[in-house]
Amino acid sequence: MAEIQPSHHVAAAAMARSESNLSKVYSIDVEGEAGDHQEVGDFDYTQRAQWLRAAVLGANDGLLSTASLMMGVGAVRKDVKTMMLTGVAGLVGGACSMAIGEFVSVYAQYDIELSQMKREGNVQKNKLPNPYYASFASAVAFAVGALVPLLGAAFINNYKVRLGVMVGVVSLALMVFGWLGAFLGKAPLVKSSLRVLIGGWLAMAVTFGLTKLVDHVGGL
C-alpha cells in the first residue's frame, strides 16, 4: 500500500491539473466568442447608426434649403407655379450636388483606406466604403426632404395660406428630423430638436426678408 499510495496521488494531481487547464481553455474560448459576437454586434450597430444619421442630415438639408429657396422666391412672386418650379429646381440641383459631393468625399476615403490596407498587407475590400452607394443614398435623402415643402405648397392658390401651410409643414418636419438626428447621435432630444427648428425658422426668415429687400431696392 505504501508504494501504490504515491502513484495514486500523482494520478489524481495530474487529472486535477488537466481538468483545470481544460476549464481555463474553455473559459477563454467562451469569452473570446462572446467578445467576437459583441464586437460584431457593436460594429454593425455603429455602421447602421452612422448611415441613418447621414440620411437624416441629408433629408434635413433638402428640407431646409428647398423651403428657404421657395420662401425667398415667394417673397417676390406670389403665384403657385413659380414657387413650385423653384422648389423642383432646388430639389434636382441639390440632389445632384449632394450626390457628386458625397461620391468625391467617400471615394477619397476609399483610396486612403485601401492604401493603408496595402501597406499593412491585409486588403479586405468588403470593409471599404462604397462611394456609389453613398452617393445614391445622399441624393435620395436630400430629395425626400425637399419633397416636404413642395407637397406642402402644392395646389394651394391663396398666397398667404400657401406660405402658412408650408411653414407649418416644414416646422413639423424640422422637429422630426432634429429628434431623429439627436437620437442617433445620442444628444439631448428636446434641446437638439429646438435648435434645428429655430435654425430653420431663421434660415427661412432671412431668405424671405433679404429677397424682398433686394426686390424693393433694385426694383426687379
Side-chain angles (χ1 to χ4, degrees), residues 60-73:
N60 186 75
D61 192 13
L63 167 71
L64 187 54
S65 61
T66 304
S68 298
L69 186 61
M70 293 175 67
M71 289 291 291
V73 172

Side-chain angles (χ1 to χ4, degrees), residues 60-101:
N60 186 75
D61 192 13
L63 167 71
L64 187 54
S65 61
T66 304
S68 298
L69 186 61
M70 293 175 67
M71 289 291 291
V73 172
V76 295
R77 296 291 184 270
K78 297 184 178 182
D79 59 295
V80 63
K81 182 179 179 180
T82 301
M83 286 188 69
M84 293 298 295
L85 289 175
T86 301
V88 171
L91 186 157
V92 175
C96 291
S97 176
M98 291 287 289
I100 294 172

Side-chain angles (χ1 to χ4, degrees), residues 37-220:
H37 288 308
Q38 183 177 1
E39 183 177 353
V40 171
D42 291 344
F43 175 80
D44 291 341
Y45 174 79
T46 302
Q47 290 292 98
R48 185 163 57 251
Q50 288 176 352
W51 279 110
L52 286 173
R53 189 165 185 269
V56 169
L57 292 176
N60 186 75
D61 192 13
L63 167 71
L64 187 54
S65 61
T66 304
S68 298
L69 186 61
M70 293 175 67
M71 289 291 291
V73 172
V76 295
R77 296 291 184 270
K78 297 184 178 182
D79 59 295
V80 63
K81 182 179 179 180
T82 301
M83 286 188 69
M84 293 298 295
L85 289 175
T86 301
V88 171
L91 186 157
V92 175
C96 291
S97 176
M98 291 287 289
I100 294 172
E102 193 72 12
F103 180 82
V104 172
S105 175
V106 176
Y107 218 116
Q109 180 185 353
Y110 176 92
D111 291 335
I112 293 172
E113 293 186 12
L114 181 61
S115 299
Q116 180 66 26
M117 287 181 177
K118 288 181 178 179
R119 284 193 296 269
E120 295 175 354
N122 183 25
V123 178
Q124 297 180 351
K125 289 192 174 183
N126 61 316
K127 292 186 177 182
L128 293 171
N130 190 327
Y132 298 98
Y133 177 77
S135 175
F136 176 77
S138 180
V140 170
F142 185 95
V144 169
L147 282 174
V148 174
L150 278 170
L151 294 176
F155 313 117
I156 301 179
N157 291 323
N158 187 280
Y159 173 68
K160 292 183 179 180
V161 174
R162 183 167 65 249
L163 288 182
V165 170
M166 192 173 71
V167 170
V169 170
V170 170
S171 298
L172 179 60
L174 284 171
M175 288 289 291
V176 172
F177 289 153
W179 185 90
L180 283 174
F183 176 77
L184 295 172
K186 300 184 185 302
L189 299 180
V190 177
K191 186 177 180 180
S192 298
S193 300
L194 289 176
R195 185 165 55 239
V196 172
L197 177 62
I198 294 173
W201 283 347
L202 182 61
M204 289 188 290
V206 169
T207 306
F208 184 90
L210 286 180
T211 305
K212 202 168 188 63
L213 177 64
V214 170
D215 178 66
H216 177 72
V217 173
L220 298 177

Side-chain angles (χ1 to χ4, degrees), residues 1-69:
M1 294 294 294
E3 294 179 359
I4 296 175
Q5 184 93 15
S7 62
H8 174 72
H9 287 312
V10 170
M15 290 179 64
R17 284 195 298 271
S18 176
E19 291 177 356
S20 177
N21 291 336
L22 286 173
S23 169
K24 290 179 180 179
V25 170
Y26 176 76
S27 176
I28 292 173
D29 289 342
V30 170
E31 291 177 358
E33 290 178 1
D36 291 341
H37 288 308
Q38 183 177 1
E39 183 177 353
V40 171
D42 291 344
F43 175 80
D44 291 341
Y45 174 79
T46 302
Q47 290 292 98
R48 185 163 57 251
Q50 288 176 352
W51 279 110
L52 286 173
R53 189 165 185 269
V56 169
L57 292 176
N60 186 75
D61 192 13
L63 167 71
L64 187 54
S65 61
T66 304
S68 298
L69 186 61

